[in-house]
Amino acid sequence: MSLSTWTGSSDVNASTRKPIDFLNLPQNVLEDVFKLLDDRSLSQMREVSKFAKNSVDSSILNVRKTEILYEADSEAASVSSEWHHFIQSVAPPKFNCIIPVLKVSKQKIFRKILFIDSIKFLLNVADIVDVISIYVLNKSELARIFITLIREILNRRCTELHTCEMTHVLSQHDIKTILKIIHTMDKKVSFAGYAIPHESNVYSKVGAYQIEYPGYRGPRTGGTEISIKHVDFEG
Amino acid sequence: MVLITLVSSDEQNFPVERELLKQSGTIETLIVNMNLDDEDTDAAAMPIPLPNVKGDVLEKVIQWMEHHKGDPVKEGDNEDNNAEIVVPQWDDDFFKPAMYGSKHLELTVAASYLDIKNLLTLSCKAISNTFKGKTGPQIREEWGVPNEFTPEEEEAIRKENEWSE
């Protein structure tokens, strides 16, 4: 096969203008290319053409690892309109919302959202992001459904979940239940939270998951930090 | 050595060593479904049609698989991190002659269709490398993409992009 046949271009030796538009690639392949671009190059891609701009904007949630810190507060009156705007923007995304989404891979976002009205919202977020951190002050409401919530969140796209001391302090029974749940999942996940101090709080391995107690104790509840992570988890 | 025949969309036949085809998730699935690994099956008499891949592209894919014979095959979704991927010199030389032409793009699409993850990753990385450090207008110029934006639209997008500068 001659070089000119393979290259598919009659001016392959030309150093500048080439006649083929890479934007003809299928969307899934284009997203694979976008995943490999740094933020600046991805932004520059939006200046190439209208199609390129729309492709970047609509695929951004697929091509960037997105981390959102979810903060709930029983005193908050309603779900933040900004967050409603964020969710509404997901299909189809609009760039004024995409910019903060791009940024969340660099900086964490705190928003105060009423817990009890926000579970559905939180699960919607879990459908589109990889990492969620929950900070909830009204723990009495959350305690009733905490394990179910962990299961529902990790059953979605989210693979990494952090909860704070004030969200819920896990019992030994809770930890066993979480281990059972995550062992039934097809994916590798990571959970970090707080547990009631116990004499068995040492490093251990259960199935494909390692359990660590880094030693930090929460000042408000006395709960001790716990990390449950798949041995092959790459966060 | 067991050979399996692949048939391109333009009906060219390519007898390929069975071992090489383990790199392609799509072909591997077809081999299993067609029982081509069974001792009782005459694999040579059962060519695998690949209606989405032209002969010249398939030839390049096979050439790439031959060079990468024995490499570990990636599994699962493509979650590679940009910073971790380096296109080896051989692959760079392999991609370079067709980089800005339709053939490299066809090779990339074929890698996606045939589910050859290592080829897809390196091929996409080679494409993304051509964008690195370039402005939108420079990318347009290099790839021959016409400018559809008005000056006002260009200015608006630049403002949106300022955060990443």
Side-chain angles (χ1 to χ4, degrees):
Chain A
M1 183 190 305
S2 70
L3 180 66
S4 60
T5 304
W6 167 245
T7 57
S9 169
S10 58
D11 66 344
V12 290
N13 294 320
S15 59
T16 54
R17 194 169 180 81
K18 281 83 178 178
I20 303 301
D21 183 354
F22 65 91
L23 295 167
N24 290 327
L25 286 169
Q27 185 66 24
N28 64 317
V29 179
L30 210 47
E31 286 186 7
D32 281 338
V33 174
F34 290 164
K35 279 178 191 171
L36 299 169
L37 294 175
D38 55 49
D39 285 351
R40 185 183 178 280
S41 299
L42 197 57
S43 295
Q44 289 301 317
M45 190 58 62
R46 301 181 69 248
E47 295 183 30
V48 171
S49 73
K50 290 178 181 175
F51 179 80
K53 177 179 177 294
N54 289 337
S55 291
V56 172
D57 292 357
S58 62
S59 62
I60 193 64
L61 288 168
N62 292 332
V63 303
R64 281 293 184 271
K65 185 170 182 176
T66 306
E67 181 172 357
I68 291 178
L69 277 175
Y70 180 87
E71 182 176 0
D73 186 337
S74 60
E75 292 175 8
S78 66
V79 175
S80 149
S81 61
E82 189 175 348
W83 281 90
H84 265 314
H85 189 43
F86 168 76
I87 284 298
Q88 285 161 4
S89 74
V90 170
K94 295 183 175 54
F95 199 74
N96 57 354
C97 290
I98 292 303
I99 289 175
V101 173
L102 268 170
K103 282 181 177 175
V104 292
S105 63
K106 292 182 171 178
Q107 63 188 49
K108 295 171 179 177
I109 294 180
F110 289 86
R111 292 292 182 271
K112 291 194 175 188
I113 306 170
L114 179 67
F115 164 70
I116 206 68
D117 292 335
S118 305
I119 296 301
K120 192 175 172 186
F121 170 79
L122 180 57
L123 296 180
N124 283 340
V125 173
D127 275 329
I128 56 173
V129 305
D130 303 292
V131 184
I132 289 182
S133 299
I134 307 176
Y135 179 78
V136 178
L137 293 177
N138 194 345
K139 62 177 182 175
S140 60
E141 288 180 82
L142 184 60
R144 295 197 305 272
I145 61 161
F146 189 67
I147 301 298
T148 306
L149 187 62
I150 291 173
R151 186 188 67 212
E152 290 302 313
I153 288 173
L154 292 177
N155 261 330
R156 288 167 162 74
R157 169 174 163 167
C158 179
T159 56
E160 192 173 341
L161 175 62
H162 307 266
T163 62
C164 82
E165 175 197 10
M166 296 303 291
T167 307
H168 184 66
V169 178
L170 300 165
S171 66
Q172 291 298 306
H173 181 261
D174 288 338
I175 295 168
K176 283 179 189 167
T177 307
I178 291 171
L179 283 166
K180 279 183 192 168
I181 288 170
I182 58 182
H183 269 101
T184 64
M185 294 176 175
D186 291 335
K187 58 182 185 176
K188 300 159 188 168
V189 302
S190 170
F191 170 82
Y194 283 80
I196 296 169
H198 188 271
E199 57 190 19
S200 68
N201 285 175
V202 291
Y203 174 87
S204 59
K205 188 166 174 289
V206 177
Y209 281 82
Q210 60 187 29
I211 305 164
E212 285 184 76
Y213 294 89
Y216 177 76
R217 280 208 178 190
R220 295 193 234 187
T221 63
T224 185
E225 206 175 0
I226 179 173
S227 159
I228 303 174
K229 190 184 290 185
H230 192 283
V231 290
D232 294 327
F233 182 81
E234 294 174 4
Chain B
M1 181 173 66
V2 177
L3 292 178
I4 290 189
T5 302
L6 306 180
V7 184
S8 62
S9 62
D10 47 359
E11 299 193 344
Q12 294 185 55
N13 287 357
F14 294 88
V16 183
E17 196 183 328
R18 167 68 184 92
E19 192 65 20
L20 285 188
L21 298 175
K22 289 183 175 170
Q23 297 177 68
S24 165
T26 304
I27 297 174
E28 192 65 19
T29 302
L30 288 169
I31 287 172
V32 170
N33 290 344
M34 293 165 74
N35 296 320
L36 296 186
D37 280 337
D38 286 1
E39 285 183 2
D40 299 339
T41 306
D42 181 7
M46 298 177 71
I48 296 178
L50 298 171
N52 292 342
V53 188
K54 286 196 286 191
D56 56 347
V57 179
L58 187 54
E59 187 179 343
K60 291 298 281 185
V61 170
I62 294 165
Q63 194 183 334
W64 185 91
M65 290 195 296
E66 281 170 347
H67 180 78
H68 287 274
K69 182 181 177 182
D71 286 2
V73 178
K74 286 203 293 188
E75 292 179 6
D77 291 336
N78 194 351
E79 299 291 347
D80 288 310
N81 184 296
N82 182 33
E84 294 167 358
I85 301 168
V86 176
V87 181
Q89 190 60 50
W90 185 92
D91 296 271
D92 197 40
D93 294 342
F94 179 79
F95 295 140
K96 204 168 269 176
M99 180 45 70
Y100 291 92
S102 61
K103 292 302 177 189
H104 182 74
L105 302 184
E106 287 179 45
L107 179 70
T108 309
V109 173
S112 172
Y113 166 67
L114 295 172
D115 190 20
I116 307 173
K117 292 190 170 61
N118 288 336
L119 175 57
L120 180 62
T121 299
L122 292 176
S123 183
C124 287
K125 181 63 179 174
I127 295 173
S128 76
N129 283 347
T130 69
F131 305 140
K132 201 173 177 184
K134 309 252 171 71
T135 64
Q138 284 172 329
I139 296 170
R140 267 204 303 265
E141 176 66 17
E142 285 213 347
W143 287 85
V145 181
N147 184 3
E148 307 165 311
F149 295 117
T150 64
E152 293 76 23
E153 286 173 327
E154 279 193 302
E155 185 54 31
I157 298 171
R158 268 192 216 109
K159 276 196 180 309
E160 288 176 345
N161 285 347
E162 275 174 1
W163 69 269
S164 66
E165 297 298 329

